[in-house]
Amino acid sequence: MSYTDVVPLLLALEDQGPHRQELNARWESGQLGIYGVGYQAGPSLKDIVVHMHNEVNNTHPTNYNIIATLEGEIDDEVVILGNYRDAWTAGAGDPGSDSAALMEIVRAFGAVVQRGGGLDARFSLLAGMDMRPNWEWLRNRTVAYVDIMGAVMGSQFFAKASPLLASLVRDVTQQQPSVNQSVAGQTVLDSWGRSVVVGDGGDALSFMGDGIPMLTLGFGHDKAIDPAFHWHSAFDTVQWMDRFADPSWEYHVRAAQIWGLMAARHAGDPVLPFNMTEYVTVVRGIVDDVQDVIEGRHDGFFIGLEPLNQAVAQLYHAAIEFDAHVVHLRHPRVIQPRHPKFTALTTSIKNSSSISGPIWKRTQTPT
């Protein structure tokens, strides 16, 4: 709805219910105070009735899944790079920047294949698709789903991932220079802040629900420093991206490089880049939060968490043993180090001539 339509509805709530200052911080960001809107939660007076007429044009268009595959030697272990095209309108930031990043990764992978290279380990699937029709096949073979959701909507890197993959995110972002060089030589990791939260939405959530490690990343919008991002509106256009969000298209390049390197690590490393100790840290934090809630009650209600604490301690010792075994497996004397094909792939992704700004504009449709 436009502001013109919304303002009368919000004004009808004045002096009705809690004021925004009594609610959480998300109520504080409204910008309609100049129209007298105080942002109260209601409910409104009983004699106020809203009549709404909604016209919907129902159509049945054909939907296409776009899938590319790169076969490795382990065909029952699949790594998926995914994004989906679901723009409400032009969608240059969401999700056009995702599609552009995927196209560039395909081009970088393809450059290696054309030179006779490829992946020496796992089967890779690169997809702009709805995963559900293929779910039974995917759930039995997928070792990781590496997703991008809003590759460039601003300048602030974010990552949502299964705890198993948090250390991989930090490792890869430490290798990539930050577009923002306000501090000379800083990496994406330096400017980002290391916080990897557990995934909470999008396609990746379906994989996580079935116990498949997932990772979602991108450059999100920070309203304090970035140009206004008109999410899900007709203003999310290539012109907006060109003029305001990413005029040099450097953030697009960096997003694709980070995404591609994470995918390459999954597909090409003989040992999957999992870290169990990080998982225990997250579980420990959740249990501690539950303990704080219990201790904060004053109604005599009590739940003993000792069995849960013991289980977490056992998990910790198992994780330490697991990670130590992984380190042992990665020793060159135990398992063959990364294949030259893998080195060629990561070089292709990192190389600025393989993923470069001008190419990106050919993957976006002007509006």
Side-chain angles (χ1 to χ4, degrees):
M1 299 178 70
S2 70
Y3 284 167
T4 301
D5 295 326
V6 167
V7 167
L9 301 179
L10 295 178
L11 289 175
L13 296 175
E14 288 303 298
D15 300 322
Q16 305 299 317
H19 192 271
R20 65 179 180 180
Q21 294 174 346
E22 302 174 57
L23 303 171
N24 61 46
R26 298 185 67 176
W27 284 76
E28 291 291 334
S29 59
Q31 303 296 317
L32 297 179
I34 58 174
Y35 298 104
V37 174
Y39 293 100
Q40 290 182 249
S44 61
L45 298 174
K46 293 183 179 180
D47 60 346
I48 296 179
V49 178
V50 175
H51 296 279
M52 180 178 293
H53 178 69
N54 187 24
E55 292 186 6
V56 178
N57 181 20
N58 290 315
T59 60
H60 298 278
T62 301
N63 182 48
Y64 295 95
N65 287 332
I66 303 171
I67 305 171
T69 60
L70 189 60
E71 295 188 11
E73 296 173 0
I74 310 174
D75 58 7
D76 62 346
E77 291 187 6
V78 178
V79 179
I80 302 177
L81 278 72
N83 88 290
Y84 47 91
R85 177 69 186 176
D86 66 342
W88 290 23
T89 52
D94 178 23
S97 61
D98 306 351
S99 300
L102 184 61
M103 293 295 288
E104 286 302 291
I105 290 174
V106 169
R107 196 170 68 87
F109 279 34
V112 175
V113 173
Q114 288 175 353
R115 294 195 296 267
L119 298 181
D120 63 306
R122 293 169 190 85
F123 182 90
S124 295
L125 189 151
L126 303 95
M129 60 181 289
D130 179 357
M131 303 292 179
R132 288 167 294 185
N134 310 283
W135 188 244
E136 198 58 37
W137 184 87
L138 292 172
R139 72 189 303 180
N140 293 322
R141 293 169 174 81
T142 305
V143 297
Y145 178 64
V146 188
D147 177 43
I148 200 162
M149 188 167 61
V152 181
M153 298 186 293
S155 63
Q156 303 305 298
F157 182 79
F158 70 89
K160 301 177 181 180
S162 302
L164 285 174
L165 303 179
S167 60
L168 171 67
V169 177
R170 298 187 185 101
D171 184 32
V172 171
T173 53
Q174 189 173 26
Q175 301 171 26
Q176 291 295 309
S178 173
V179 176
N180 173 12
Q181 286 294 312
S182 55
V183 177
Q186 72 176 351
T187 65
V188 173
L189 179 66
D190 296 330
S191 61
W192 155 44
R194 298 173 174 264
S195 175
V196 181
V197 300
V198 177
D200 60 357
D203 283 355
L205 198 58
S206 298
F207 289 87
M208 193 173 183
D210 265 353
I212 298 169
M214 54 71 63
L215 191 161
T216 297
L217 61 94
F219 285 93
H221 178 259
D222 185 337
K223 64 182 180 182
I225 61 175
D226 290 330
F229 174 56
H230 305 281
W231 189 47
H232 286 176
S233 81
F235 298 101
D236 181 10
T237 64
V238 175
Q239 285 82 357
W240 170 80
M241 188 69 72
D242 265 334
R243 293 182 60 189
F244 303 109
D246 193 16
S248 65
W249 291 71
E250 291 178 273
Y251 283 101
H252 281 75
V253 173
R254 195 67 73 245
Q257 289 171 328
I258 293 171
W259 191 21
L261 289 171
M262 289 182 181
R265 286 283 300 276
H266 279 93
D269 268 1
V271 180
L272 285 164
F274 294 165
N275 185 292
M276 274 299 298
T277 308
E278 187 105 26
Y279 212 114
V280 180
T281 301
V282 172
V283 173
R284 177 73 268 168
I286 294 172
V287 175
D288 289 344
D289 289 343
V290 173
Q291 183 68 50
D292 290 342
V293 171
I294 294 173
E295 292 177 355
R297 298 177 67 103
H298 302 287
D299 54 4
F301 183 80
F302 176 77
I303 298 177
L305 297 183
E306 188 55 32
L308 190 56
N309 286 322
Q310 291 176 359
V312 173
Q314 292 174 359
L315 180 61
Y316 172 75
H317 291 298
I320 293 294
E321 185 176 341
F322 177 90
D323 288 341
H325 184 59
V326 168
V327 171
H328 171 70
L329 289 177
R330 286 181 176 148
H331 194 282
R333 294 182 180 178
V334 178
I335 195 168
Q336 182 181 359
R338 293 172 181 170
H339 196 279
K341 294 178 182 178
F342 174 80
T343 303
L345 177 61
T346 55
T347 300
S348 180
I349 294 170
K350 291 178 181 178
N351 191 335
S352 60
S353 65
S354 296
I355 297 180
S356 55
I359 300 297
W360 289 88
K361 298 192 179 185
R362 296 208 296 268
T363 67
Q364 295 267 19
T365 303
T367 55

Short mmCIF file of all heavy atoms in Angstrom, two decimals, residues 104-133:
data_model
loop_
_atom_site.label_atom_id
_atom_site.label_comp_id
_atom_site.label_asym_id
_atom_site.label_seq_id
_atom_site.Cartn_x
_atom_site.Cartn_y
_atom_site.Cartn_z
N GLU A 104 27.50 -15.64 -12.98
CA GLU A 104 28.95 -15.43 -13.02
C GLU A 104 29.72 -16.63 -12.47
O GLU A 104 30.79 -16.97 -12.97
CB GLU A 104 29.32 -14.17 -12.24
CG GLU A 104 28.95 -12.90 -12.97
CD GLU A 104 29.60 -12.82 -14.34
OE1 GLU A 104 30.83 -12.66 -14.42
OE2 GLU A 104 28.88 -12.96 -15.33
N ILE A 105 29.16 -17.27 -11.46
CA ILE A 105 29.81 -18.48 -10.93
C ILE A 105 29.77 -19.59 -11.98
O ILE A 105 30.76 -20.31 -12.18
CB ILE A 105 29.12 -18.93 -9.63
CG1 ILE A 105 29.44 -17.92 -8.52
CG2 ILE A 105 29.59 -20.32 -9.22
CD1 ILE A 105 28.71 -18.18 -7.24
N VAL A 106 28.65 -19.72 -12.66
CA VAL A 106 28.56 -20.71 -13.74
C VAL A 106 29.61 -20.42 -14.81
O VAL A 106 30.28 -21.32 -15.32
CB VAL A 106 27.15 -20.69 -14.37
CG1 VAL A 106 27.12 -21.49 -15.66
CG2 VAL A 106 26.12 -21.22 -13.38
N ARG A 107 29.80 -19.14 -15.11
CA ARG A 107 30.79 -18.78 -16.13
C ARG A 107 32.21 -19.12 -15.66
O ARG A 107 33.04 -19.60 -16.44
CB ARG A 107 30.68 -17.28 -16.44
CG ARG A 107 31.38 -16.86 -17.73
CD ARG A 107 31.01 -15.43 -18.08
NE ARG A 107 31.56 -14.50 -17.12
CZ ARG A 107 32.79 -13.97 -17.20
NH1 ARG A 107 33.58 -14.33 -18.19
NH2 ARG A 107 33.21 -13.10 -16.31
N ALA A 108 32.49 -18.86 -14.37
CA ALA A 108 33.82 -19.18 -13.84
C ALA A 108 34.06 -20.68 -13.82
O ALA A 108 35.13 -21.16 -14.20
CB ALA A 108 33.97 -18.60 -12.43
N PHE A 109 33.04 -21.45 -13.38
CA PHE A 109 33.16 -22.91 -13.40
C PHE A 109 33.34 -23.40 -14.84
O PHE A 109 34.15 -24.28 -15.12
CB PHE A 109 31.90 -23.55 -12.80
CG PHE A 109 31.88 -23.58 -11.29
CD1 PHE A 109 32.45 -22.56 -10.55
CD2 PHE A 109 31.28 -24.62 -10.61
CE1 PHE A 109 32.42 -22.57 -9.16
CE2 PHE A 109 31.24 -24.66 -9.22
CZ PHE A 109 31.81 -23.63 -8.50
N GLY A 110 32.55 -22.81 -15.75
CA GLY A 110 32.61 -23.23 -17.14
C GLY A 110 33.97 -22.97 -17.77
O GLY A 110 34.44 -23.76 -18.61
N ALA A 111 34.61 -21.88 -17.38
CA ALA A 111 35.93 -21.57 -17.93
C ALA A 111 36.94 -22.66 -17.59
O ALA A 111 37.80 -23.02 -18.40
CB ALA A 111 36.41 -20.21 -17.40
N VAL A 112 36.82 -23.21 -16.38
CA VAL A 112 37.72 -24.29 -15.96
C VAL A 112 37.41 -25.56 -16.74
O VAL A 112 38.31 -26.26 -17.22
CB VAL A 112 37.59 -24.54 -14.44
CG1 VAL A 112 38.44 -25.74 -14.03
CG2 VAL A 112 38.02 -23.30 -13.67
N VAL A 113 36.13 -25.88 -16.89
CA VAL A 113 35.74 -27.09 -17.61
C VAL A 113 36.21 -27.03 -19.06
O VAL A 113 36.70 -28.02 -19.62
CB VAL A 113 34.21 -27.28 -17.54
CG1 VAL A 113 33.77 -28.43 -18.44
CG2 VAL A 113 33.78 -27.54 -16.11
N GLN A 114 36.09 -25.87 -19.68
CA GLN A 114 36.50 -25.72 -21.08
C GLN A 114 38.00 -25.92 -21.25
O GLN A 114 38.47 -26.30 -22.32
CB GLN A 114 36.09 -24.35 -21.60
CG GLN A 114 34.59 -24.22 -21.82
CD GLN A 114 34.19 -22.81 -22.23
OE1 GLN A 114 35.01 -21.89 -22.22
NE2 GLN A 114 32.92 -22.64 -22.57
N ARG A 115 38.75 -25.68 -20.17
CA ARG A 115 40.20 -25.90 -20.24
C ARG A 115 40.57 -27.32 -19.83
O ARG A 115 41.74 -27.63 -19.60
CB ARG A 115 40.93 -24.90 -19.34
CG ARG A 115 40.81 -23.45 -19.82
CD ARG A 115 41.83 -22.56 -19.12
NE ARG A 115 41.62 -22.47 -17.69
CZ ARG A 115 40.90 -21.52 -17.09
NH1 ARG A 115 40.30 -20.59 -17.81
NH2 ARG A 115 40.78 -21.51 -15.77
N GLY A 116 39.55 -28.17 -19.67
CA GLY A 116 39.80 -29.56 -19.34
C GLY A 116 39.81 -29.85 -17.86
O GLY A 116 40.18 -30.95 -17.44
N GLY A 117 39.40 -28.88 -17.05
CA GLY A 117 39.39 -29.08 -15.61
C GLY A 117 38.02 -29.52 -15.13
O GLY A 117 37.21 -30.04 -15.88
N GLY A 118 37.77 -29.32 -13.85
CA GLY A 118 36.50 -29.70 -13.25
C GLY A 118 36.69 -29.93 -11.78
O GLY A 118 37.69 -29.52 -11.19
N LEU A 119 35.75 -30.60 -11.17
CA LEU A 119 35.85 -30.91 -9.75
C LEU A 119 36.28 -32.36 -9.60
O LEU A 119 35.74 -33.25 -10.25
CB LEU A 119 34.50 -30.70 -9.06
CG LEU A 119 33.96 -29.26 -9.08
CD1 LEU A 119 32.64 -29.21 -8.35
CD2 LEU A 119 34.95 -28.30 -8.45
N ASP A 120 37.25 -32.60 -8.73
CA ASP A 120 37.73 -33.97 -8.56
C ASP A 120 36.97 -34.71 -7.48
O ASP A 120 37.21 -35.89 -7.27
CB ASP A 120 39.22 -33.96 -8.21
CG ASP A 120 39.49 -33.29 -6.88
OD1 ASP A 120 39.05 -32.14 -6.70
OD2 ASP A 120 40.13 -33.90 -6.02
N ALA A 121 36.07 -34.05 -6.77
CA ALA A 121 35.41 -34.71 -5.65
C ALA A 121 33.91 -34.82 -5.89
O ALA A 121 33.45 -35.73 -6.57
CB ALA A 121 35.71 -33.98 -4.35
N ARG A 122 33.13 -33.86 -5.39
CA ARG A 122 31.68 -34.05 -5.32
C ARG A 122 30.93 -33.49 -6.52
O ARG A 122 31.34 -32.54 -7.15
CB ARG A 122 31.15 -33.41 -4.03
CG ARG A 122 31.64 -34.15 -2.82
CD ARG A 122 31.38 -33.44 -1.51
NE ARG A 122 32.11 -34.15 -0.47
CZ ARG A 122 33.38 -33.92 -0.19
NH1 ARG A 122 34.04 -32.96 -0.82
NH2 ARG A 122 34.00 -34.63 0.72
N PHE A 123 29.81 -34.11 -6.76
CA PHE A 123 28.86 -33.68 -7.77
C PHE A 123 28.28 -32.33 -7.36
O PHE A 123 27.87 -32.15 -6.22
CB PHE A 123 27.76 -34.74 -7.85
CG PHE A 123 26.70 -34.51 -8.88
CD1 PHE A 123 26.84 -35.02 -10.16
CD2 PHE A 123 25.55 -33.82 -8.56
CE1 PHE A 123 25.84 -34.83 -11.10
CE2 PHE A 123 24.55 -33.63 -9.49
CZ PHE A 123 24.70 -34.14 -10.77
N SER A 124 28.24 -31.37 -8.28
CA SER A 124 27.72 -30.04 -7.96
C SER A 124 26.50 -29.74 -8.82
O SER A 124 26.44 -30.10 -9.99
CB SER A 124 28.77 -28.96 -8.21
OG SER A 124 29.85 -29.11 -7.33
N LEU A 125 25.54 -29.09 -8.20
CA LEU A 125 24.31 -28.72 -8.89
C LEU A 125 24.10 -27.23 -8.68
O LEU A 125 24.05 -26.76 -7.55
CB LEU A 125 23.15 -29.54 -8.33
CG LEU A 125 21.80 -29.48 -9.02
CD1 LEU A 125 21.07 -30.80 -8.79
CD2 LEU A 125 20.95 -28.34 -8.49
N LEU A 126 24.02 -26.48 -9.77
CA LEU A 126 23.83 -25.03 -9.70
C LEU A 126 22.43 -24.75 -10.22
O LEU A 126 22.11 -25.09 -11.36
CB LEU A 126 24.88 -24.30 -10.54
CG LEU A 126 26.34 -24.59 -10.16
CD1 LEU A 126 26.91 -25.70 -11.03
CD2 LEU A 126 27.18 -23.35 -10.28
N ALA A 127 21.61 -24.12 -9.40
CA ALA A 127 20.19 -24.09 -9.74
C ALA A 127 19.52 -22.78 -9.39
O ALA A 127 19.77 -22.21 -8.33
CB ALA A 127 19.47 -25.23 -9.01
N GLY A 128 18.68 -22.31 -10.32
CA GLY A 128 17.71 -21.28 -10.02
C GLY A 128 16.36 -21.96 -10.12
O GLY A 128 15.82 -22.08 -11.21
N MET A 129 15.85 -22.47 -9.00
CA MET A 129 14.76 -23.44 -9.12
C MET A 129 13.95 -23.55 -7.85
O MET A 129 14.33 -23.07 -6.79
CB MET A 129 15.35 -24.82 -9.44
CG MET A 129 16.30 -25.34 -8.35
SD MET A 129 17.02 -26.95 -8.69
CE MET A 129 15.61 -28.00 -8.47
N ASP A 130 12.80 -24.22 -7.99
CA ASP A 130 12.00 -24.66 -6.86
C ASP A 130 12.46 -26.07 -6.52
O ASP A 130 12.36 -26.98 -7.34
CB ASP A 130 10.52 -24.65 -7.25
CG ASP A 130 9.61 -25.12 -6.12
OD1 ASP A 130 10.14 -25.51 -5.06
OD2 ASP A 130 8.39 -25.10 -6.31
N MET A 131 13.00 -26.26 -5.33
CA MET A 131 13.61 -27.54 -4.97
C MET A 131 12.59 -28.65 -4.69
O MET A 131 12.91 -29.82 -4.74
CB MET A 131 14.49 -27.36 -3.73
CG MET A 131 15.57 -26.32 -3.87
SD MET A 131 16.83 -26.82 -5.05
CE MET A 131 17.91 -25.38 -5.01
N ARG A 132 11.36 -28.28 -4.39
CA ARG A 132 10.42 -29.26 -3.85
C ARG A 132 10.13 -30.45 -4.76
O ARG A 132 10.04 -31.58 -4.28
CB ARG A 132 9.12 -28.55 -3.46
CG ARG A 132 9.27 -27.69 -2.22
CD ARG A 132 8.10 -26.77 -2.03
NE ARG A 132 8.02 -25.78 -3.10
CZ ARG A 132 7.15 -24.79 -3.12
NH1 ARG A 132 6.27 -24.66 -2.15
NH2 ARG A 132 7.14 -23.91 -4.11
N PRO A 133 9.98 -30.28 -6.09
CA PRO A 133 9.68 -31.45 -6.92
C PRO A 133 10.78 -32.50 -6.91
O PRO A 133 10.54 -33.67 -7.23
CB PRO A 133 9.52 -30.84 -8.33
CG PRO A 133 9.17 -29.42 -8.09
CD PRO A 133 9.93 -29.03 -6.87
#
